[in-house]
Amino acid sequence: MSSLPGTNPEQASGADAGAHDQGHDEPYLAPKATWLATVVDWATTIDHKKIGVMYLFAILFMFFLGGVAALGVRVELWEPTRTVVDAAGNTRLEGLALSAMLPDDKPSLSDANDLYNRIFTLHGLIMVFLVIVPSIPASLGNFLLPLMVGAKDVAFPKLNLASWYIYLFGSMFALAAAIGGGVETGWTFYTPYSTSTDEGHWTVVAMIAGAFILGFSSILTGLNFIVTVHKLRAPGMGWFDMPLFVWGIYGTSLIQVLATPVIGITLLLLIFERLFHIGIFDPRLGGDPVLFQHFFWFYSHPVVYVMILPGMAVMSELIAVFTRKKIFGYRAVAFSSLAIAGISFIVWGHHMFTSQGELSATIFSALTFLVALPSAIKVFNWIMTLYKGSIDLKTPMLYALGFLFLFSIGGLTGIYLGALSVDLHLHDTYFVVAHFHYVMMGSTIVAFVGAIHMWWPKMFGKMYNELWGKVGFWLVFLGFNLTFFPQFIMGSHGMPRRYASYVDEFQIYHQLSTIGSFVLLAGFLVHLFNFIHSLVAGPKAPPNPWGGLSMEWTDAGSPPITHNFHHEPVAKHGPYDFDDVYPPQTKPGEFPMPEPAKPGEHPKW
Amino acid sequence: MNEWLKGILLKPGNSDLALGDWNVDGLFMFITWLCIGSFIFVMVPMFWWAFRYRRARGAGHMAAVRTPNHNTVLEVTWVVVPLLFMVVVFFWGFKGYMRGQIAKGNAEVINLEAYKWAWEPLYRNGASSGQQVYMDDRRTPGENGALVGKRGNNLFPVIAVPEKTPVKFIMKSRDVMHSFYIPDMRIKMDIFPNRYTSLTFVPQDAGGDLGNNDQAGAVTVTPGEIPGRDHYVFCAEYCGISHSEMAAVMRVMTPSNFDKALETWGDLYKGKNFAEVGAIVHARKCATCHSVDGSKNTGPTWKDAWGKMTPMAVGGSVMYDENYTREAILNPAARLHQGYPNQMPSFAGQLSDNEILGVIAYIRQLSGKTTDADKVPFPSK
């Protein structure tokens, strides 16, 4: 496993599959003898790579469903609802764009609003619980974490399979509720609305149960990752020799394990409240609706960081590899992941400045500003990493730069919302909608798509088309900004969120936003076809196409064999020692190396 | 520059929270410039370095240059400087926030009740809102143009507040959570069914006695209305089907106009007969859900409803008569119309017996079945 500069170790190319293991030297993607055997193999696999890939496709499918719901929202908001009086004095309603989906040929305003409410709720629930929370950790985390720490699998492979099936099981509940009429509670399930609406209907309970079940998938995956990081690191790999992706996933897992049980209990209480009217949240029964908000955000604020930390984790890898530089301030980036995980637990009250007392609102506002710092540290460090790098503007790097652009906007606009008096104006308006889409989608989903491009050759052994990747990036980047930037302005003008209709003066912003959402759709379709094309006809990927130095690049094939590595890998260099180590498994001269360091001389600015 | 950007980002405010000490608009713009500055600070090096150090195509590879990957002074600086800015923003936000929580001096207290999906103010003399207006209405040209289009399918209440006087809203919900949001006053507060919440501000400008200074899009002040400067009121906490229709107009009036409004609204039924009182009750409390033109909405229409056998959700049918109407108002969940959800809050204690008779008279009138009793003068005050 020597990785001297300029050498090309061939033992991991997969071509020399020896006889020293029972068929496990095949790439993990190799099909079984029959079609049925392959299906059974995948359905019962305990291979973290297969589980990661199954998660990836499930999440992308859910992303498609949630995206369709989002487009439904944007279509309805093209026009406000208006009563039009014709010359004869007859009235009719205009601007019910979604009503074409209703069986009624002459829909009423209330039916149209109800449909809109169900669709935006569906969008929120799918995107939060089925897409963004599991997105990077469950798919790429599963695939990459053991490879990056040089392990054969996660610590508890069977538990890993269990958490995949729990995810599927929970998704079934959610989809059944959606098909069975949907819910119109909003993804936050605020009481007493959620305990009183759709009375006697099963869909709300099914949806809450789905979210409850999905929580267990999250907890088990997090637990698995924590143990993996602690116990299965390769010989020679200390905590500060780990790739920052691993640090990010580790911080994420801590939050998942600690916070998810709280939402589990809360959702269970909500179900009891609906079914048995026990009176914890419903004031008619002596409960307190604000209690629900505290419980809910005690989980859901940390979960905001479950969503963004993996995106940050990906960023460190993307930037380091495509600039061929050691991440500036590695320890600061690593510790800021833990700081974010810690602080995230004490700022939940900033979602409730309009519903709590003055003292607690003030304390939460002060604490909220603390969480800005570790995020800022990360951004500064990533940008310093670019300095005097050898920057390769391939699709993943474009996504990394796009992330920095969008995350900066998303993060900075958080300052408005942390400031008490300004938040009283902006709370529950489109400003908030734009802010969290810049963070959730503009950052996490952008990092996710960038990461899929980066590790696509590793996962599937095929290269994607670089030109179409870049075209897709620009469509996504421009479409995203066109969709969400106008929402800041309409929010500060006073447009409340979750509105099926609005006053005329907001129409221009809504129309820009709707146009942007279709550009965004075009961008994702370009990526989709690029990936399909790659699977069908893409050129074979080399084991280390980008010249990475973490173990999935240096010691594993593309795709890796079932057992990941032929021999247990040993960490002989850090994951970002691009200055001194020529990337193994690449052609000589493929990647530029800096001048060799003279003994005793330290680098200067 | 600042004013130009402010004109794009914010609508003109009309309260001390927007214009007075520690105001929201000032902090909003401070944060805006802070964000713009930080964004430039971060993006300029990013774009410049990404361009400058890109691996040029064809021209051979450009290698990275060894640079330090850690610098304590730099790293401490970029933690401490943002922290100082955060302290300023927090303190400014806190001062502004408290101004919206604690009433200044002798405030005009207005009780406000919210329910699905209407706002009902209660003034010191017992008056409620006595004025409903169209929003975004479009009319044929001319002095008294005919209506050709309007927002949604109903009218919205006017909530009057006096100019340059502290007002304090004490708010309660009858059903689920709502949130009272007046964008031009730069404040909102959630409303709960189990406790009172409040907010306070000082409206600044009534636009003179004629109130010719509308900010709420196209709210037309018809002759006979008490004028003022209009602002949108929205419900900002999701509350169900007609959440987006739960709007109102806040009208800042000169103190003399405000007193006049309270006086008029306090005795709204004067000289009206029962059917006319029913129409007033409908416009105030019922119009969001019950149409009077035959169109379907959250609740069934009142047009041509009277005296018919009406199908029930549980099967069977009921005669739409005085007793059924009364029950539907006081205990709406008891017998639901077929095809309509259980959404209506009870109006027990909200309507007097005479007002209920007024509603009955109005429904009869809408069905062309007016009786002589419906034309009896309403016993006002």
Side-chain angles (χ1 to χ4, degrees):
Chain A
M1 201 70 10
S2 70
S3 31
L4 295 169
T7 60
N8 181 12
E10 56 192 45
Q11 67 266 44
S13 64
D16 67 342
H20 53 266
D21 216 332
Q22 308 90 8
H24 286 310
D25 278 355
E26 287 191 330
Y28 80 101
L29 285 172
K32 298 282 164 201
T34 65
W35 178 84
L36 188 65
T38 309
V39 171
V40 170
D41 177 51
W42 278 77
T44 59
T45 186
I46 52 170
D47 182 347
H48 68 100
K49 299 183 289 301
K50 287 181 181 166
I51 293 173
V53 167
M54 287 192 290
Y55 262 120
L56 180 66
F57 286 115
I59 288 164
L60 291 179
F61 175 71
M62 293 299 172
F63 183 66
F64 172 75
L65 289 187
V68 169
L71 291 175
V73 166
R74 290 307 333 157
V75 166
E76 171 67 26
L77 292 175
W78 180 256
E79 270 190 311
T81 312
R82 203 178 281 130
T83 304
V84 179
V85 188
D86 63 19
N90 297 319
T91 61
R92 68 192 154 81
L93 286 169
E94 265 187 3
L96 305 178
L98 273 181
S99 60
M101 293 165 64
L102 291 170
D104 229 343
D105 53 338
K106 205 182 164 212
S108 69
L109 182 60
S110 56
D111 290 345
N113 287 353
D114 191 48
L115 179 67
Y116 174 85
N117 293 347
R118 282 168 204 279
I119 287 187
F120 86 68
T121 301
L122 193 64
H123 166 69
L125 283 166
I126 289 184
M127 286 304 196
V128 170
F129 290 109
L130 295 171
V131 179
I132 298 187
V133 169
S135 63
I136 294 175
S139 62
L140 296 168
N142 250 320
F143 191 94
L144 291 171
L145 190 79
L147 284 167
M148 281 188 172
V149 299
K152 228 159 103 173
D153 207 315
V154 291
F156 308 115
K158 287 178 182 163
L159 198 63
N160 202 18
L161 182 66
S163 76
W164 157 246
Y165 277 106
I166 294 171
Y167 172 82
L168 275 191
F169 188 54
S171 308
M172 301 290 172
F173 273 75
L175 289 184
I179 293 163
V183 300
E184 43 120 18
T185 57
W187 81 272
T188 48
F189 297 118
Y190 268 17
T191 55
Y193 191 75
S194 62
T195 50
S196 57
T197 187
D198 278 340
E199 212 172 353
H201 212 276
W202 58 273
T203 51
V204 182
V205 171
M207 190 60 94
I208 299 171
F212 175 77
I213 293 164
L214 287 166
F216 284 92
S217 168
S218 217
I219 294 172
L220 296 180
T221 302
L223 189 71
N224 222 335
F225 288 172
I226 291 174
V227 179
T228 306
V229 172
H230 274 272
K231 305 303 287 183
L232 296 186
R233 297 196 310 279
M237 185 183 278
W239 279 89
F240 295 108
D241 303 320
M242 298 193 308
L244 285 164
F245 180 83
V246 178
W247 271 103
I249 295 293
Y250 182 72
T252 309
S253 303
L254 286 178
I255 303 177
Q256 280 179 324
V257 169
L258 293 174
T260 315
V262 179
I263 193 72
I265 295 163
T266 311
L267 293 175
L268 213 53
L269 287 174
L270 194 60
I271 292 176
F272 287 165
E273 179 99 13
R274 262 191 84 88
L275 295 179
F276 312 121
H277 307 289
I278 52 175
I280 289 178
F281 306 126
D282 191 339
R284 282 175 303 182
L285 307 165
D288 184 359
V290 183
L291 181 67
F292 177 83
Q293 295 181 24
H294 278 288
F295 282 177
F296 182 83
W297 289 113
F298 186 82
Y299 159 80
S300 293
H301 192 76
V303 151
V304 168
Y305 296 94
V306 164
M307 303 181 206
I308 190 64
L309 268 178
M312 295 169 159
V314 160
M315 278 296 294
S316 299
E317 300 303 312
L318 261 54
I319 288 191
V321 170
F322 286 93
T323 54
R324 312 214 63 72
K325 292 280 285 183
K326 186 171 184 137
I327 286 282
F328 187 85
Y330 172 99
R331 286 188 186 222
V333 175
F335 282 126
S336 63
S337 289
L338 293 186
I340 288 173
I343 298 172
S344 73
F345 278 94
I346 52 171
V347 296
W348 78 90
H350 69 216
H351 295 265
M352 307 159 54
F353 286 158
T354 59
S355 59
Q356 61 188 328
E358 291 87 354
L359 180 63
S360 60
T362 304
I363 292 170
F364 279 122
S365 169
L367 292 172
T368 294
F369 286 114
L370 287 182
V371 87
L373 297 176
S375 307
I377 290 170
K378 281 179 184 272
V379 170
F380 293 141
N381 281 306
W382 290 324
I383 288 186
M384 276 310 290
T385 306
L386 300 178
Y387 179 64
K388 293 198 175 178
S390 168
I391 299 170
D392 195 359
L393 293 173
K394 289 206 161 62
T395 310
M397 188 60 190
L398 288 180
Y399 267 99
L401 297 178
F403 174 102
L404 286 171
F405 186 95
L406 301 173
F407 180 70
S408 295
I409 295 178
L412 287 168
T413 50
I415 299 173
Y416 293 89
L417 301 170
L420 280 167
S421 66
V422 179
D423 183 71
L424 286 202
H425 175 48
L426 297 176
H427 179 77
D428 270 342
T429 65
Y430 266 72
F431 192 94
V432 176
V433 175
H435 161 70
F436 73 71
H437 277 91
Y438 264 86
V439 181
M440 302 289 89
M441 181 169 186
S443 310
T444 306
I445 296 291
V446 155
F448 187 39
V449 178
I452 295 174
H453 279 93
M454 177 164 175
W455 282 290
W456 185 264
K458 183 57 59 183
M459 286 191 282
F460 301 105
K462 297 283 183 78
M463 297 304 286
Y464 63 87
N465 182 299
E466 198 58 58
L467 175 67
W468 285 105
K470 288 179 182 175
V471 169
F473 164 78
W474 283 109
L475 286 172
V476 168
F477 182 76
L478 297 175
F480 178 86
N481 283 299
L482 184 57
T483 308
F484 292 105
F485 204 83
Q487 297 188 0
F488 282 121
I489 297 173
M490 68 172 134
S492 63
H493 282 204
M495 167 82 207
R497 64 193 282 206
R498 295 174 167 177
Y499 262 32
S501 178
Y502 47 86
V503 294
D504 286 357
E505 64 178 58
F506 298 122
Q507 188 170 8
I508 179 68
Y509 305 110
H510 276 298
Q511 294 195 336
L512 287 173
S513 192
T514 302
I515 293 168
S517 66
F518 280 91
V519 177
L520 205 44
L521 171 71
F524 284 122
L525 288 180
V526 167
H527 283 321
L528 177 68
F529 288 117
N530 196 16
F531 287 142
I532 292 174
H533 175 265
S534 163
L535 286 181
V536 175
K540 187 175 165 15
N544 190 0
W546 320 123
L549 288 181
S550 45
M551 283 179 177
E552 84 275 24
W553 303 118
T554 56
D555 292 273
S558 289
I561 57 169
T562 302
H563 278 179
N564 292 351
F565 309 104
H566 287 271
H567 311 280
E568 184 177 39
V570 177
K572 291 184 172 166
H573 53 76
Y576 308 118
D577 289 344
F578 296 103
D579 281 349
D580 301 308
V581 181
Y582 190 80
Q585 305 208 81
T586 59
K587 293 190 203 88
E590 194 178 352
F591 293 93
M593 292 296 288
E595 298 293 319
K598 296 186 186 76
E601 195 183 66
H602 294 290
K604 302 241 167 38
W605 292 104
Chain B
M1 185 78 166
N2 190 50
E3 289 306 308
W4 169 79
L5 189 58
K6 190 169 158 181
I8 293 173
L9 296 178
L10 290 168
K11 287 174 69 189
N14 193 17
S15 72
D16 64 323
L17 303 176
L19 303 164
D21 295 339
W22 301 103
N23 65 56
V24 172
D25 292 19
L27 179 54
F28 186 96
M29 291 315 295
F30 177 78
I31 298 174
T32 301
W33 289 112
L34 181 66
C35 288
I36 290 173
S38 315
F39 191 66
I40 291 172
F41 178 76
V42 171
M43 284 300 117
V44 166
M46 185 188 94
F47 278 112
W48 171 239
W49 292 341
F51 172 76
R52 170 73 181 75
Y53 302 116
R54 74 194 187 283
R55 219 176 289 166
R57 191 185 307 160
H61 293 315
M62 197 198 300
V65 176
R66 288 168 195 274
T67 53
N69 35 45
H70 169 65
N71 183 311
T72 311
V73 175
L74 192 62
E75 288 176 64
V76 169
T77 309
W78 71 41
V79 174
V80 171
V81 172
L83 187 63
L84 294 178
F85 277 110
M86 294 301 103
V87 170
V88 173
V89 171
F90 163 74
F91 189 71
W92 191 337
F94 168 70
K95 293 293 275 188
Y97 168 75
M98 290 316 287
R99 289 180 68 90
Q101 306 297 308
I102 299 169
K104 286 132 284 228
N106 198 6
E108 175 79 36
V109 173
I110 302 167
N111 289 291
L112 182 73
E113 194 169 36
Y115 54 91
K116 289 193 277 188
W117 289 279
W119 302 100
E120 218 169 278
L122 178 66
Y123 291 96
R124 55 176 138 87
N125 66 340
S128 183
S129 170
Q131 182 74 54
Q132 286 80 31
V133 290
Y134 295 115
M135 251 183 216
D136 289 334
D137 49 338
R138 300 198 181 146
R139 289 163 188 278
T140 52
E143 186 94 337
N144 287 316
L147 186 74
V148 292
K150 58 166 180 158
R151 179 179 185 212
N153 64 349
N154 61 304
L155 291 156
F156 299 91
V158 172
I159 299 171
V161 291
E163 178 192 41
K164 295 201 170 58
T165 311
V167 291
K168 179 170 181 154
F169 282 91
I170 297 180
M171 306 176 293
K172 189 183 163 295
S173 164
R174 205 185 295 169
D175 37 47
V176 298
M177 281 166 45
H178 302 280
S179 186
F180 188 51
Y181 179 31
I182 319 111
D184 293 341
M185 304 300 172
R186 307 285 187 260
I187 194 160
K188 72 167 67 67
M189 196 53 66
D190 286 4
I191 307 178
F192 298 93
N194 60 331
R195 63 183 167 101
Y196 296 100
T197 51
S198 70
L199 58 81
T200 179
F201 58 89
V202 186
Q204 294 295 305
D205 178 16
D209 276 336
L210 298 174
N212 51 0
N213 206 351
D214 268 10
Q215 265 177 254
V219 174
T220 311
V221 180
T222 52
E225 264 183 50
I226 300 159
R229 186 173 171 188
D230 288 336
H231 303 277
Y232 290 123
V233 171
F234 298 124
C235 176
E237 183 63 66
Y238 175 65
C239 58
I241 292 172
S242 294
H243 172 50
S244 58
E245 302 301 312
M246 191 170 165
V249 169
M250 177 166 286
R251 186 168 288 174
V252 181
M253 298 176 175
T254 57
S256 59
N257 276 342
F258 180 73
D259 290 340
K260 200 167 109 195
L262 260 53
E263 195 184 322
T264 319
W265 296 354
D267 201 9
L268 213 53
Y269 301 153
K270 195 167 144 188
K272 300 275 196 295
N273 65 31
F274 273 84
E276 286 163 340
V277 166
I280 292 170
V281 172
H282 171 265
R284 277 177 163 188
K285 297 172 188 275
C286 319
T288 316
C289 303
H290 298 280
S291 79
V292 292
D293 60 0
S295 63
K296 181 178 186 275
N297 207 337
T298 316
T301 184
W302 290 1
K303 187 176 169 64
D304 297 329
W306 191 263
K308 291 193 173 137
M309 292 305 287
T310 308
M312 292 290 112
V314 290
S317 52
V318 164
M319 170 60 79
Y320 202 127
D321 60 6
E322 288 86 350
N323 277 322
Y324 176 70
T325 308
R326 186 182 169 85
E327 183 194 63
I329 292 170
L330 300 179
N331 187 8
R335 285 186 283 182
L336 291 172
H337 272 218
Q338 192 179 48
Y340 292 92
N342 178 15
Q343 288 284 1
M344 183 170 158
S346 165
F347 284 80
Q350 309 291 326
L351 292 178
S352 68
D353 279 356
N354 278 341
E355 283 174 314
I356 293 173
L357 286 176
V359 170
I360 290 170
Y362 183 50
I363 298 175
R364 269 205 287 261
Q365 187 189 45
L366 289 167
S367 312
K369 293 176 181 167
T370 309
T371 66
D372 285 345
D374 303 340
K375 294 173 186 154
V376 171
F378 193 83
S380 147
K381 290 231 159 160

